[in-house]
């Protein structure tokens, strides 16, 4: 779920993968929005692009956004 949250916030704030991956360590609102623990150090930015490739490879690009809206 963290990748879904990251992707949604990244899109809303027009951030690069590198910026979005670092946001939970810089902005407490991102940490709360994605449900991360206060001590969570985040993850490498490459995870976000890999996360987006999986649904895109199966023609399911909108599934993440549609499910978040439910």
């Amino acid at each position: 779920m963290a990748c879904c949250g990251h992707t949604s916030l990244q899109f809303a704030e027009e951030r690069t993968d590198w910026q979005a991956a670092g946001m939970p360590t810089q902005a407490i609102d991102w940490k709360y929005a994605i449900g991360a623990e206060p001590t969570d150090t985040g993850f490498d930015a490459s995870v976000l692009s890999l996360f987006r490739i999986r649904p895109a490879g199966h023609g399911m690009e909108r599934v993440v956004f549609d499910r978040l809206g439910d």
Side-chain angles (χ1 to χ4, degrees), residues 8-26:
S8 298
L9 290 170
Q10 178 184 6
F11 177 76
E13 295 189 8
E14 299 179 2
R15 296 191 180 271
T16 66
D17 287 347
W18 290 104
Q19 291 170 328
M23 287 305 293
T25 61
Q26 301 168 13

Side-chain angles (χ1 to χ4, degrees):
M1 186 62 178
C3 283
C4 292
H6 265 84
T7 301
S8 298
L9 290 170
Q10 178 184 6
F11 177 76
E13 295 189 8
E14 299 179 2
R15 296 191 180 271
T16 66
D17 287 347
W18 290 104
Q19 291 170 328
M23 287 305 293
T25 61
Q26 301 168 13
I28 195 76
D29 57 337
W30 272 59
K31 193 168 277 203
Y32 285 120
I34 63 171
E37 294 293 322
T39 56
D40 190 354
T41 58
F43 49 80
D44 190 84
S46 63
V47 173
L48 293 172
S49 62
L50 294 172
F51 171 74
R52 286 191 305 272
I53 288 169
R54 280 185 84 185
H58 299 286
M60 301 176 67
E61 297 90 341
R62 296 280 318 164
V63 171
V64 170
F65 293 107
D66 292 343
R67 294 247 170 106
L68 287 173
D70 290 344

